[in-house]
Amino acid sequence: MSSQDQNNNSIDENIQETAPLKKEAPESMSFLDRIPSAACLVGPDDAVIYANNQMASVFTYSNIEDSNFFALTGVRRKELLDALGAPESSQPIIERSDKYFELHTDGDATLDGEMVVYFYDVTEREHLRINYNEEKIVLAYISIDNYDELMSSITEDSKLAVPTEVDRILRKWAEKYNGSIESTGDDTYVMTLFRRDAQKIIDTKFEILDRIRKIEAKVDFPVSISVGMGFGADTIEEEGELAEAALELAMGRGGDQAVVKDRDRTKYYGGKLQSMEKNNKGKSRIIAHALRQLIRDSGNVLIMGHKWPDMDSFGAAVGAYKIARYYDKEADIVIEEYNEALQEIFHYAHERESYPILDRKKAIEICDRNTLVIVVDTHRPGRVECPELLDIAEKVVVIDHHRLSEDAIENPVLSYVESYASSTSELMTEIIQYTANRKVIKKFDAEALLAGITVDSNSFSIKTGVRTFEAAAWLRKAGADTTEVKRFFQMEISTFQIRADAIARAEYSENGVAYAITDGYSADAQVINAQVADQLLNVKGVKASFAAGRNNANKTVISGRSLGGINVQVIMENFAGGGHLNSAGAQVDDSPENVISQVKEVVDKYLDEQNKMKEKEEEDQ
């Protein structure tokens, strides 16, 4: 026997006398029992070959030999190897037996060989880190939605009572979560609180929104607030910027909701109310004057909507074009591809009215730093007809009616995003009114704008306010013929049959939701599915509808429609889509059948949550 073997035997005998092992250690592994921290040997098959006695401090159960290492820890071999030589913050950490352990391996470990894993107790350090993070300051900005409209609509007695009640509820809410709240204006507040308390608010999904909504104001619309919360920044100034951006996002999406920005991650809560129409048209007048000056100061104007434009996008583009021409500026509309739904009006505009319509390549050629780019019916750079124009031009104007998204076009010189509006064509019609007079547009222009309003309001049945009818009446006076508008919506027989087949095979659930699938691959899938979903709402008992079908790019297009009881916008956000409370959509890389199956699950979960909230409200009352 060698001297080394004699030494090992001597050590083993001493260890056995002081601390009996659960399992006899292989001679080559006896050194693990001399280590003051927990350690184990893991084999090529990820099975634990041997564990020293210190491992009893990690796992409450004994005899972990032969167990799978990943099943025990949730840490894979590759993760340990990747952390070799990396900073401590990169080391895997597990929580077991109310303690935290940092896992390490040594430089001799390989991807397919035996490896020793050390478990270092870092409980004290992790508790300090957790406490440090939980006591970080979080800022929340709060704004009373539509404050001016609210004050002008309520009685004199309520003008003091309603804001006072809002103030009382907000202060009790802040007190409940150990926060400090200060009024920064008649309709704005800022709240400061710890991260751990902010998380509690998030866990309640901002129940404060429901409490504010219950305030009796004796007006046609409920009182509501918007909340923007920001955390995860390194300084208070950055926290404030995150909270401000979150509040702007919440208000841009229609109010009555909370937005939480944790650096690059954004989450939305609430949004149960339809965006309220603003009575004051002052903003339209300001936008019109600002747009006029921007057009005058530009070399030329390029107008674009979203890819595969619909009637609203095209109508708004026509309106913007006429404003630019009114001020004697060279202007062009950028459209690369369009679907059947736009075919009739597109050819009429391009061939009979001689509207200058360019493809992307030509638009890029004539765009320079002095070009004014007007984006209509979208505010997301990934959806515009030609994203390259946003990088070339220094001045970009955005006019849209969709709920504001996190990935909005950055730093536009002018932004008019109003989610209360039925359509971008409605917003553009108001801007035209303040540009000059009806002479700005001709009969066809008025019909294009009216068609845009008609399609996005589903023939004046969805998101239609007083201003929608005022815009339509103004366009009628400007020469719009409703019979001609109806002709723009005529479709091919094949398209009509696809739509009819989908409606005939629609499935109706007990909770009042209809689901339909359109067959084939069609460039007009988006329009067809929207029409199918609209038609299904005409069935008695249907509260919401969803239609899905493939487009010619092999993507499944989903359209959701609602009568208001179900927020389809929230449901479509689960599929990276969006829209409005009663009209939304999305595109996904999956089959229509799978998509509809997933939509059903999301809808059921949504309705379950709504029922639980309703039961809780009844209990509270």
Side-chain angles (χ1 to χ4, degrees), residues 452-470:
I453 295 174
T454 302
V455 73
D456 265 28
S457 65
N458 194 15
S459 298
F460 298 89
S461 63
I462 293 175
K463 287 196 70 185
T464 305
V466 173
R467 290 171 67 168
T468 310
F469 287 107
E470 288 177 348

Side-chain angles (χ1 to χ4, degrees), residues 133-191:
N133 287 329
E134 287 185 342
E135 292 180 1
K136 280 187 174 180
I137 296 298
V138 172
L139 294 178
Y141 290 171
I142 305 162
S143 177
I144 302 175
D145 296 327
N146 307 302
Y147 182 78
D148 293 337
E149 283 79 7
L150 180 65
M151 289 297 100
S152 62
S153 302
I154 59 180
T155 63
E156 289 297 324
D157 293 340
S158 299
K159 284 185 178 179
L160 181 61
V162 171
T164 301
E165 181 65 6
V166 172
D167 185 87
R168 184 188 69 82
I169 292 175
L170 287 176
R171 293 188 184 280
K172 285 196 69 175
W173 177 58
E175 182 182 353
K176 178 180 178 181
Y177 294 100
N178 306 308
S180 171
I181 191 168
E182 296 294 334
S183 173
T184 55
D186 292 339
D187 59 341
T188 54
Y189 294 82
V190 59
M191 184 165 73

Side-chain angles (χ1 to χ4, degrees), residues 383-551:
R383 293 206 64 203
V384 299
E385 182 66 75
C386 185
E388 292 84 355
L389 300 183
L390 302 178
D391 299 323
I392 299 172
E394 290 188 344
K395 294 176 290 185
V396 177
V397 172
V398 177
I399 302 173
D400 188 22
H401 75 114
H402 294 100
R403 285 185 132 173
L404 193 62
S405 300
E406 181 186 2
D407 58 338
I409 293 171
E410 294 183 358
N411 303 318
V413 293
L414 185 64
S415 179
Y416 191 28
V417 181
E418 294 289 350
S419 61
Y420 71 83
S422 69
S423 56
T424 308
S425 293
E426 176 187 328
L427 296 174
M428 190 62 71
T429 300
E430 291 186 348
I431 292 172
I432 292 171
Q433 293 177 56
Y434 291 116
T435 298
N437 51 45
R438 288 199 299 275
K439 293 179 182 178
V440 175
I441 61 174
K442 298 185 297 183
K443 177 178 180 294
F444 169 76
D445 312 319
E447 289 168 352
L449 286 161
L450 184 57
I453 295 174
T454 302
V455 73
D456 265 28
S457 65
N458 194 15
S459 298
F460 298 89
S461 63
I462 293 175
K463 287 196 70 185
T464 305
V466 173
R467 290 171 67 168
T468 310
F469 287 107
E470 288 177 348
W474 189 87
L475 292 170
R476 184 72 180 89
K477 290 178 183 178
D481 185 338
T482 53
T483 303
E484 284 295 307
V485 171
K486 188 175 182 63
R487 185 172 61 82
F488 291 148
F489 295 116
Q490 287 185 315
M491 66 184 72
E492 298 290 343
I493 294 175
S494 58
T495 302
F496 183 86
Q497 289 175 335
I498 291 172
R499 190 181 73 176
D501 289 342
I503 294 171
R505 298 195 313 270
E507 178 184 347
Y508 302 90
S509 66
E510 294 180 357
N511 51 28
V513 182
Y515 304 93
I517 295 175
T518 56
D519 289 334
Y521 299 79
S522 172
D524 303 317
Q526 184 175 353
V527 175
I528 295 172
N529 286 315
Q531 293 172 343
V532 170
D534 286 333
Q535 289 295 315
L536 289 174
L537 286 182
N538 294 327
V539 178
K540 192 172 183 179
V542 172
K543 297 181 290 186
S545 60
F546 297 90
R550 288 190 188 276
N551 62 19

